[in-house]
Structures are given as C-alpha cells and as structure tokens.
Amino acid sequence: SVDGNDATRKLIGMINRSRFKPQLHCIILDGISLGGFNVVDIQELSKKTGIPVLVVIRKYPRLEEIHAVLEKIGKKDKLRILSKAGAIVKVGEVYVQVSGLAIGAAKEILKIGCTRSNIPEPLRVAHMIASGVVKGESRGRA
C-alpha cells in the first residue's frame, strides 16, 4: 500500500509461496521502498526467505531530506528500518545496500546482470513490463 507498512510482509509472503522460490539466488530491489514510503526491511526479508537481498539505487539518496519528511509526516518508525538496512555503497555507477551477502558478491551479481545498462537486467525488464502495463509503453529510464 502507498506509504504503508506492509511491503516487507507482502514480499516475504509472495516469495515464500512462489513455486519458483527454489530457483531464486538473490532478491534484487530497485530501491528500498515501494509505493512511496513503504520501506522494505531487507534484513527481515533476507532472514525470513533465506535469500540474500541486493538493493540497487541509481543516485545516492538525499538522506537528510528523507529523514526530515518522515519526521514531518509522523513516520519516524521508518527511520529505524532505513538505518537497519546498513551502509549505502557505491558499486560502479550505482549504489547498493545488501543483506545476506557480501559487497564482493553484490559486485559480481552486478557484473553478470548489467548487460545493457548500469541496472541489472531483471530490474530493467521488470520496469519495462510494468511501464507497458500501466502506461502502454516504457519511457526508457530502466
């Protein structure tokens, strides 16, 4: 839900119920929040699915502004989840946060998965499909 608190729980449920779960080696997220400020607890997601999590971020987030907005709208609980996610590390042209895997492994995943852009192909394709469904076409930001 938009700005909700259910992203982590929903992802855990979807992944754990998926018949394809045994084939998953890494959960790759495009940012740490879904639907505005519905922040994913990547530590809990990794722990409860048994799968490492790699968050890919295109630009370094303006953390001070994010913290100010969350405090202003009374969502301080999300600050704890954001800080729990760990360090934001630059890898090539993107930034990452990880849970359940080392930065070296994240670099290797990006090296293998980024064939046409700085964004891993699974995220790029997911973006194109979602944009096509919602808008009828992709704007090419993936």
Side-chain angles (χ1 to χ4, degrees), residues 2-65:
V2 175
D3 296 336
N5 297 312
D6 59 349
T8 306
R9 182 176 44 82
K10 293 280 189 176
L11 286 172
I12 290 167
M14 289 169 50
I15 291 164
N16 284 339
R17 287 189 308 269
S18 173
R19 66 182 176 148
F20 301 107
K21 183 181 177 189
Q23 298 175 33
L24 300 178
H25 297 283
C26 184
I27 299 166
I28 304 174
L29 299 176
D30 186 10
I32 197 164
S33 65
L34 310 173
F37 280 119
N38 199 334
V39 182
V40 178
D41 183 335
I42 65 170
Q43 303 295 332
E44 184 177 350
L45 179 60
S46 178
K47 181 180 175 186
K48 291 196 174 171
T49 61
I51 302 169
V53 176
L54 169 61
V55 178
V56 178
I57 309 163
R58 296 169 203 262
K59 292 188 234 172
Y60 195 86
R62 297 184 310 245
L63 297 173
E64 300 81 23
E65 291 177 29

Side-chain angles (χ1 to χ4, degrees), residues 82-97:
L82 288 172
S83 65
K84 189 174 153 185
I88 299 171
V89 179
K90 185 168 183 163
V91 175
E93 298 297 316
V94 296
Y95 296 88
V96 300
Q97 286 178 292

Side-chain angles (χ1 to χ4, degrees), residues 78-130:
K78 295 181 188 291
L79 293 173
R80 181 190 56 79
I81 299 170
L82 288 172
S83 65
K84 189 174 153 185
I88 299 171
V89 179
K90 185 168 183 163
V91 175
E93 298 297 316
V94 296
Y95 296 88
V96 300
Q97 286 178 292
V98 297
S99 178
L101 76 158
I103 290 296
K107 288 179 183 178
E108 189 64 25
I109 290 168
L110 291 174
K111 181 179 171 185
I112 293 167
C114 297
T115 59
R116 300 210 178 340
S117 73
N118 295 327
I119 304 301
E121 281 302 293
L123 287 183
R124 205 173 77 77
V125 171
H127 174 82
M128 287 190 291
I129 292 168

